[in-house]
Amino acid sequence: MKPPERWIAIAGVTVLSAIALAGFALAIYAAWLFHDMPDATDLVDYRPPTATRAYAWDGTLIGEFSRERRIYVPYDNIPPHLVQAFLAAEDRNFFSHGGVDALGLTRAMMKNVANAANGRRLEGGSTITQQVAKNVLLTSEATVGRKLKEAILAGRLEQTLNKEQILELYLNEIWLGYRSYGVGAAAYNYFGKSISDLTLAESAYLAALPKGPDNYHPLRRKAQAIVRRNWVIDQMADLGWVSRADAEAAKREDLKVQKAPTRAKYRDADFFVEEVRRRGLATMGQRLNEGGYYMRTTLDPRLQTAARVALMNGLEKYDRRHGWRGAWGHVDKAEGWEAVAKQESPPSERRGWRAALITDVSGGNVRVRLAGDGGAGAIVSQDVAWARAGKGLRSGDLVFVEPVEGGASFRLKQIPAVNGALVAIEPYSGRVLAMVGGYSFSLSNFNRATQAMRQPGSAFKPIVYAAALENGYTPSSVVMDSAITLRGAGGQDWTPENYNRRYYGALTLRRGLELSRNAMTVRLAQGVGMSRISDLAVKMGVVKKMDKVLAMALGAGETTPFRLTAAYAAFVNGGRRVEPHLIELVQDRNGETIFRGDKRDCPRCNAAFNGDESPRVAPDGDQVMDPITAYQITSMLQGVVQRGTATSALVLNRPVGGKTGTTNEYRSAWFVGFTPQVVAGVFVGFDDNRSLGEGETGTTAAVPIFVEFMQDAAKPWPKTEFKAPANAKFATVRGIREAFRPGTEPKVIQAPLDSGLSGPQPYSQVWPDGKLTTPAPAAPAAPQKKDDMTGLY
């Protein structure tokens, strides 16, 4: 072989070897690149993580639970102009290409030459199908390998799914800013409406966002956002998808969005919604945050708002009784005061409160300037006097004020240091109709309704009296209200005292409960036995376990407002313990029920109606006391309102019962009250359990909150009486119609000590027709001193 031919042969072998080596290397690279290629068929049944939406019983949206805030919308429910807006902005040839748009990619590359020269952002040229492949199946790494995978997967997706399915995935998966994944959540978060209600301009704005939501933020970069939106509208007009006249009209629209994305427009149920979230996670786990469930709760928005308003007002009134604690901030110089004021926010529930600077204090006149708009005016004179009685006011103080309607004056406001809770439960089903766990969720999300363990004080006494009635006592049984000393723990004496330090002698059970007599209750607990009282408290759900010591009879054990309120439901519903629940129903995205709060069986409820008698469902809950006992306690607690420690609730002018509670040193104040329709419990106390102050009893601090709540809540309800059991026997005792178990109604009865009679007497002699017959006393009785707490003698 001649030398030139030899070199040609060598060169040829070398080239072929290089090609073979390159091919081998390419094969290895391809094998490595595609060994973990996702399967496009995985997307046939794919659904992105979707928010679970919680609704009140009347259909009001109250909350969402999700890792990614998304409302999944089927393609058929997406308006055509919204689809067209995204196609115009992102992939105008979507319905004609096979996954990769060569023409579009070429056009993007040519534009990028000019973009690079002018320092503008480069265009990617990815189709919607490629974006779905990247968003759902791949990572966002900017490598050649990922782009190759994206292109291949796009082709496979086009073979697996039809165009509408791909668009549905894209429009529900894409990140659009403002805490929004997908067009459904974006429409709600930006504009507060469903996608079916979006205007052309609003649809175009959403379509402008995939290129970078922060670049077109509607508040921080509004001008750029409008320019990009109008470009999308022009593209739609150029493609003939909207008329030029409609396009020009849409471009003239202002860009108006909500100031911040909200999970629900109804904002009075934050404590309730958070409790639903906690219980939902305990029941369903992380599925709650990604399953896209429909959740119907027990909340009644009308009652919830009434509860929130009543509790906040009551806590503010308590706080005002205890004086002005001083300004929450102070500045020495007026310059820059607004920046300091922004560091402190009023409760979000008090939308009318404003941060203000005290600019002048002279005589009885105090003037303020508002943060933000610079408005100014004077604080009303009564609030100036209130502040001066406390820590006072001085120039430079930062305070909260509320404008007085119709004038340039302001009320001085103070965030209460005290806190509390209010729970309302439907007594027959256990549905939690309202729950407020504190003064303001924006200031503290600790739920005092369900998480604060506190002593209930005298609010526990109805359980003691119910145990007595279950074990041979009647409402007319007599127990001594007199001083008693018992040997306590460690050998020390324990002498329980009545609130007013007085003793009234022999009292019926009814009167003892109405007046909340401590010494009498301890004597009663001795007679009944603490084991029986403890067992009943556990059965009713007040506590999980209770020490069998007499102090517990006065409410020394700890419980929550939620538990105690639910326990009182048994008095109203005939003696059954119902489980309080907040979640009524949970359904998956296919409409299948996966959770139901009502656990009762109803075999015929789903059958077609054929004219037969309607199905009868057994009452909910376990029977924990005799229905007559429950009615007796209900009647006795009505007496607490009519003649006892809660007479201020008489203003409701309807059948109502309840029991006050006050713990040692006035640390907690309670009232659990009820009508035939609802049981509502109110708790007031400091989070650190310090004293509320002298005289801050359940009567003073808690009953007014219950009354304000019920005045609003009960407006549409009929004034029905509590229903007595059919087998109850009745007798009039001291003018009061009492219920008895058959065979226990009075026939021979011990006369009262002041009747002039002694020993057992015939019922007709002592109380004929309910009127006490007493001979004239030998000498006039000494006048009794009025009871400062009850107003009674």
Side-chain angles (χ1 to χ4, degrees), residues 421-743:
L422 193 158
V423 184
I425 298 175
E426 200 281 319
Y428 293 91
S429 64
R431 296 171 60 242
V432 180
L433 305 176
M435 174 187 289
V436 187
Y439 173 72
S440 169
F441 188 85
S442 65
L443 300 179
S444 168
N445 60 17
F446 178 69
N447 191 335
R448 294 151 192 88
T450 59
Q451 296 174 295
M453 296 291 292
R454 292 299 181 89
Q455 293 179 341
S458 294
F460 181 78
K461 286 176 182 173
I463 288 86
V464 177
Y465 284 72
L469 295 173
E470 285 283 282
N471 289 279
Y473 289 78
T474 73
S476 61
S477 296
V478 175
V479 176
M480 286 297 295
D481 177 37
S482 59
I484 181 172
T485 299
L486 302 166
R487 186 58 56 89
Q492 296 181 342
D493 289 342
W494 176 54
T495 304
E497 293 183 326
N498 291 327
Y499 172 79
N500 58 2
R501 308 291 198 276
R502 299 191 187 97
Y503 301 93
Y504 295 155
L507 294 175
T508 63
L509 260 63
R510 168 181 285 278
R511 196 64 178 140
L513 186 57
E514 288 177 353
L515 297 180
S516 196
R517 310 308 290 167
N518 291 338
M520 174 180 168
T521 301
V522 171
R523 288 186 184 276
L524 179 64
Q526 270 189 312
V528 175
M530 279 307 300
S531 291
R532 290 168 173 165
I533 293 169
S534 175
D535 289 347
L536 183 59
V538 172
K539 286 181 182 178
M540 294 179 69
V542 180
V543 292
K544 293 182 179 179
K545 183 180 179 181
M546 175 179 284
D547 293 336
K548 298 175 177 63
V549 296
L550 284 170
M552 296 296 169
L554 300 182
E558 291 187 335
T559 186
T560 66
F562 185 73
R563 281 179 166 271
L564 189 62
T565 304
Y568 270 60
F571 300 140
V572 183
N573 67 28
R576 291 177 293 106
R577 174 184 175 176
V578 292
E579 290 297 332
H581 60 280
L582 291 77
I583 302 173
E584 194 79 57
L585 179 76
V586 179
Q587 293 178 328
D588 63 20
R589 63 186 72 191
N590 298 317
E592 296 294 326
T593 299
I594 64 171
F595 175 86
R596 189 182 296 274
D598 190 340
K599 305 300 184 184
R600 294 175 295 172
D601 291 330
C602 182
R604 294 175 50 210
C605 284
N606 294 325
F609 181 67
N610 59 5
D612 292 342
E613 183 181 6
S614 299
R616 293 185 181 273
V617 182
D620 198 9
D622 297 328
Q623 197 76 37
V624 294
M625 69 181 73
D626 190 288
I628 294 179
T629 297
Y631 181 77
Q632 288 170 325
I633 293 293
T634 294
S635 177
M636 292 162 71
L637 293 180
Q638 283 185 271
V640 173
V641 173
Q642 294 162 356
R643 296 170 296 276
T645 58
T647 54
S648 58
L650 284 171
V651 70
L652 296 172
N653 192 30
R654 63 172 55 241
V656 59
K659 185 68 188 76
T660 54
T662 309
T663 60
N664 288 341
E665 300 177 357
Y666 304 97
R667 293 179 184 275
S668 298
W670 296 76
F671 184 71
V672 184
F674 50 82
T675 68
Q677 296 87 358
V678 72
V679 182
V682 177
F683 157 76
V684 177
F686 287 99
D687 286 344
D688 60 6
N689 204 26
R690 68 179 184 268
S691 175
L692 290 166
E694 184 72 23
E696 291 291 353
T697 63
T699 303
T700 304
V703 174
I705 295 173
F706 171 83
V707 169
E708 182 177 347
F709 166 68
M710 289 301 299
Q711 283 177 324
D712 195 356
K715 283 181 181 177
W717 299 340
K719 296 181 180 180
T720 54
E721 296 289 341
F722 295 99
K723 187 176 180 180
N727 62 333
K729 301 298 181 180
F730 289 89
T732 302
V733 180
R734 294 187 179 183
I736 298 172
R737 186 171 181 261
E738 294 285 13
F740 296 89
R741 281 195 179 86

Side-chain angles (χ1 to χ4, degrees), residues 173-486:
E173 178 71 29
I174 192 168
W175 166 245
L176 294 172
Y178 237 47
R179 305 180 194 168
S180 307
Y181 286 87
V183 292
Y188 189 84
N189 288 346
Y190 280 103
F191 303 111
K193 59 177 65 175
S194 167
I195 60 171
S196 60
D197 298 324
L198 292 175
T199 66
L200 172 59
E202 291 166 344
S203 296
Y205 173 69
L206 296 185
L209 295 171
K211 287 291 188 280
D214 288 342
N215 297 331
Y216 307 111
H217 193 280
L219 301 177
R220 295 194 297 267
R221 296 186 175 183
K222 183 175 180 179
Q224 295 94 318
I226 291 176
V227 169
R228 177 68 180 176
R229 178 202 69 181
N230 291 348
W231 176 85
V232 174
I233 295 172
D234 283 335
Q235 295 299 304
M236 296 176 70
D238 291 345
L239 292 165
W241 292 341
V242 297
S243 69
R244 181 55 64 181
D246 288 343
E248 293 302 321
K251 288 164 63 177
R252 288 193 296 269
E253 285 186 25
D254 191 12
L255 178 57
K256 295 181 179 179
V257 300
Q258 299 183 118
K259 290 184 178 180
T262 57
R263 290 193 177 271
K265 290 186 177 180
Y266 181 74
R267 301 297 299 164
D268 283 341
D270 287 338
F271 283 105
F272 184 96
V273 171
E274 176 59 17
E275 186 66 21
V276 167
R277 187 191 69 82
R278 290 176 60 246
R279 290 171 183 253
L281 282 173
T283 303
M284 303 164 60
Q286 286 302 319
R287 291 184 301 158
L288 177 74
N289 292 324
E290 56 191 34
Y293 298 112
Y294 163 81
M295 179 181 287
R296 187 174 75 230
T297 72
T298 59
L299 185 84
D300 184 327
R302 186 179 67 83
L303 268 63
Q304 177 67 25
T305 296
R308 195 268 302 168
V309 171
L311 184 66
M312 292 190 78
N313 287 345
L315 296 178
E316 287 173 8
K317 288 174 183 176
Y318 165 88
D319 188 68
R320 192 172 180 88
R321 287 198 297 272
H322 291 267
W324 172 248
R325 299 190 306 275
W328 54 260
H330 184 83
V331 294
D332 294 325
K333 296 181 180 179
E335 293 79 10
W337 74 272
E338 291 191 68
V340 178
K342 288 180 180 179
Q343 298 174 12
E344 189 79 10
S345 299
S348 63
E349 298 85 352
R350 290 302 191 214
R351 297 175 180 88
W353 289 20
R354 302 283 302 277
L357 171 71
I358 294 181
T359 57
D360 181 64
V361 178
S362 56
N365 185 46
V366 176
R367 296 191 62 80
V368 298
R369 184 185 307 145
L370 300 183
D373 60 12
I379 294 176
V380 297
S381 58
Q382 60 263 43
D383 287 359
V384 173
W386 173 62
R388 284 185 169 174
K391 291 294 185 68
L393 297 168
R394 58 190 177 123
S395 295
D397 278 350
L398 298 174
V399 297
F400 292 124
V401 297
E402 184 176 37
V404 175
E405 187 175 353
S409 57
F410 300 90
R411 298 299 308 265
L412 183 62
K413 294 298 178 180
Q414 176 174 259
I415 296 175
V418 73
N419 236 300
L422 193 158
V423 184
I425 298 175
E426 200 281 319
Y428 293 91
S429 64
R431 296 171 60 242
V432 180
L433 305 176
M435 174 187 289
V436 187
Y439 173 72
S440 169
F441 188 85
S442 65
L443 300 179
S444 168
N445 60 17
F446 178 69
N447 191 335
R448 294 151 192 88
T450 59
Q451 296 174 295
M453 296 291 292
R454 292 299 181 89
Q455 293 179 341
S458 294
F460 181 78
K461 286 176 182 173
I463 288 86
V464 177
Y465 284 72
L469 295 173
E470 285 283 282
N471 289 279
Y473 289 78
T474 73
S476 61
S477 296
V478 175
V479 176
M480 286 297 295
D481 177 37
S482 59
I484 181 172
T485 299
L486 302 166

Side-chain angles (χ1 to χ4, degrees), residues 99-120:
V100 178
D101 185 4
L103 182 61
L105 183 60
T106 302
R107 183 171 59 250
M109 293 177 63
M110 294 176 63
K111 286 185 177 180
N112 282 339
V113 174
N115 289 340
N118 296 313
R120 292 196 294 266

Side-chain angles (χ1 to χ4, degrees), residues 133-192:
K134 180 188 71 173
N135 293 338
V136 179
L137 298 175
L138 300 172
T139 66
S140 296
E141 58 178 343
T143 64
V144 174
R146 197 270 294 165
K147 292 295 290 184
L148 287 172
K149 287 183 178 181
E150 179 184 298
I152 294 171
L153 278 174
R156 294 179 181 177
L157 278 176
E158 293 277 350
Q159 297 171 6
T160 304
L161 306 175
N162 61 39
K163 291 288 188 178
E164 289 75 14
Q165 290 173 313
I166 295 171
L167 269 177
E168 181 177 311
L169 280 175
Y170 172 75
L171 293 173
N172 282 288
E173 178 71 29
I174 192 168
W175 166 245
L176 294 172
Y178 237 47
R179 305 180 194 168
S180 307
Y181 286 87
V183 292
Y188 189 84
N189 288 346
Y190 280 103
F191 303 111

Side-chain angles (χ1 to χ4, degrees), residues 31-116:
W32 172 82
L33 184 64
F34 301 126
H35 79 283
D36 60 347
M37 176 78 79
D39 189 345
T41 59
D42 291 343
L43 292 182
V44 173
D45 298 317
Y46 173 76
R47 290 292 183 275
T50 310
T52 292
R53 310 191 89 195
Y55 296 85
W57 74 273
D58 66 351
T60 301
L61 177 65
I62 60 173
E64 292 182 355
F65 313 118
S66 62
R67 290 187 294 106
E68 297 177 353
R69 193 170 182 191
R70 179 183 286 105
I71 301 171
Y72 197 90
V73 185
Y75 180 80
D76 291 341
N77 294 341
I78 301 175
H81 65 261
L82 181 60
V83 174
Q84 291 166 347
F86 275 88
L87 293 179
E90 295 295 313
D91 190 357
R92 63 175 61 192
N93 297 322
F94 174 75
F95 281 99
S96 60
H97 64 63
V100 178
D101 185 4
L103 182 61
L105 183 60
T106 302
R107 183 171 59 250
M109 293 177 63
M110 294 176 63
K111 286 185 177 180
N112 282 339
V113 174
N115 289 340

